[in-house]
Amino acid sequence: MNALSLFDGMRCGAYCLQQAGIKVNKYYASEINNYAMQVANNNFPMAINLGDINNWRKWPIDWSSINFVMAGFPCQAWSFSGEQNGLDDPRGALVLVLIDIFEHVKSLNPDVKFFFENVFMKAKYETFINELFGVKPHKIESNQIAPVDRKRNYWTNIEFEPIKPVKLSFGDIREWDAADNFYYSEAAFNWLSNHAKRKGKDLKVFTNSGKMQMLEATMYKKYSSQRFFGVLDHKGIRYPTVLECERCHGLPDGYTKSVSNTQAYEMIGNGWECRTVTHIFRGLKSRND
């Protein structure tokens, strides 16, 4: 298989293909974030880095050899938590570049497999994206097989088996000996409590049972106007560690160790829940064999 990964991020695509047992001949990757590329190249250095997606017409690729295209295209313009400006947001407009590339590959290889991921969004935006890709998305809540909530749309022509739920809670992956700097000070916790009260929010405290709430790119903030939760253990209440976030999304321990915690939190929050994507990618197995 020759794979093309657009908005490659920290190379979750390569990891999920590996976990699914899919053999890859060439892995082309388009990404411009230096921190994401550092993590990506640290874990999967075999990739052929292409750079900015806007320069795709200059890429040195045998386009006819590409038989799998994947992308987690930027979500900020579509997400309910963002300003929802769609194509009026430069990040949102990048989906049009993605579709140009996809159509070019399809013109040379009509049987190309594809996999595109993004957040739940307004119906009008989803309809627009559906028309671009030519399929409706699979709407999957990853907490069926992961210790974290993660609802996502997956547009794909890969045929895969329904997900069989497994019992996996936050307590199964949590870290018990977190460093002291992860804990809220008394003043910080009081601020969180009062802020939650002002906003009419429940201050969630995670222990062992249940699922961790959806990870976000702002997880690096010890507390903020969007933070209404903490993790309880024998030393106090803290925020999730990088290791816990990696485990929540099905990544190997230490996958993001080559960058700072701030950068690690951001890219994990923007990344894929890898158990779910691996399950979908297993549908490529018969084709690859």
Side-chain angles (χ1 to χ4, degrees):
M1 174 172 287
N2 291 324
L4 173 60
S5 176
L6 306 173
F7 313 105
D8 186 55
M10 59 179 172
R11 212 148 288 164
C12 288
Y15 176 68
C16 293
L17 286 171
Q18 180 191 72
Q19 292 299 105
I22 307 300
K23 296 178 181 178
V24 177
N25 178 35
K26 291 184 179 180
Y27 185 99
Y28 296 99
S30 172
E31 180 56 58
I32 60 172
N33 182 284
N34 289 329
Y35 296 108
M37 288 190 291
Q38 183 174 331
V39 171
N41 292 327
N42 186 58
N43 288 282
F44 290 94
M46 81 306 179
I48 301 169
N49 294 296
L50 300 171
D52 193 335
I53 192 172
N54 291 297
N55 299 327
W56 70 272
R57 295 182 187 279
K58 299 178 182 179
W59 289 348
I61 292 180
D62 175 6
W63 290 100
S64 62
S65 73
I66 301 297
N67 45 27
F68 183 44
V69 180
M70 58 182 154
F73 55 101
C75 67
Q76 296 88 346
W78 315 104
S79 173
F80 286 114
S81 62
E83 296 183 2
Q84 303 178 75
N85 288 327
L87 296 180
D88 292 331
D89 185 320
R91 296 166 296 184
L94 288 172
V95 73
L96 300 180
V97 183
L98 164 59
I99 201 66
D100 283 346
I101 295 172
F102 180 45
E103 291 296 332
H104 180 62
V105 174
K106 280 202 302 183
S107 71
L108 299 171
N109 183 359
D111 296 324
V112 63
K113 292 295 182 181
F114 64 88
F115 172 86
F116 305 133
E117 178 265 2
N118 213 287
V119 297
F120 281 25
M121 59 187 71
K122 286 182 178 179
K124 68 174 184 178
Y125 286 148
E126 184 178 313
T127 299
F128 170 72
I129 300 296
N130 293 350
E131 292 174 353
L132 286 181
F133 296 153
V135 295
K136 293 182 178 180
H138 296 270
K139 295 181 176 294
I140 299 177
E141 169 55 271
S142 290
N143 68 15
Q144 299 175 81
I145 55 175
V148 65
D149 295 331
R150 193 77 171 178
K151 293 180 181 178
R152 287 294 183 269
N153 285 321
Y154 300 98
W155 293 266
T156 185
N157 62 349
I158 301 171
E159 296 181 6
F160 59 95
E161 297 293 326
I163 292 177
K164 296 180 180 179
V166 298
K167 292 183 178 180
L168 190 62
S169 67
F170 177 68
D172 294 320
I173 60 90
R174 66 172 297 161
E175 187 175 6
W176 281 103
D177 296 308
D180 291 343
N181 61 301
F182 286 101
Y183 289 82
Y184 297 122
S185 66
E186 182 177 354
F189 185 72
N190 287 338
W191 186 93
L192 281 173
S193 300
N194 291 328
H195 180 63
K197 183 178 179 180
R198 287 194 299 271
K199 295 292 185 179
K201 300 279 189 179
D202 290 329
L203 185 62
K204 297 180 181 178
V205 177
F206 293 92
T207 53
N208 288 339
S209 61
K211 309 288 184 175
M212 171 54 65
Q213 71 173 45
M214 185 182 71
L215 303 184
E216 300 172 346
T218 56
M219 294 289 283
Y220 66 89
K221 296 181 179 180
K222 186 172 290 189
Y223 61 100
S224 72
S225 60
Q226 300 300 316
R227 179 62 58 83
F228 301 103
F229 71 96
V231 175
L232 176 66
D233 65 18
H234 57 295
K235 292 197 293 184
I237 297 179
R238 57 175 175 80
Y239 61 106
T241 65
V242 170
L243 180 62
E244 288 168 337
C245 291
E246 289 175 339
R247 291 174 177 175
C248 277
H249 276 196
L251 290 164
D253 289 3
Y255 191 86
T256 59
K257 64 183 179 182
S258 61
V259 295
S260 69
N261 285 356
T262 296
Q263 296 299 330
Y265 281 123
E266 184 170 1
M267 65 182 68
I268 295 170
N270 283 330
W272 290 344
E273 197 295 299
C274 293
R275 298 173 189 83
T276 304
V277 178
T278 296
H279 177 85
I280 296 172
F281 283 3
R282 289 195 181 105
L284 294 165
K285 187 68 173 170
S286 59
R287 174 189 175 93
N288 198 55
D289 289 343

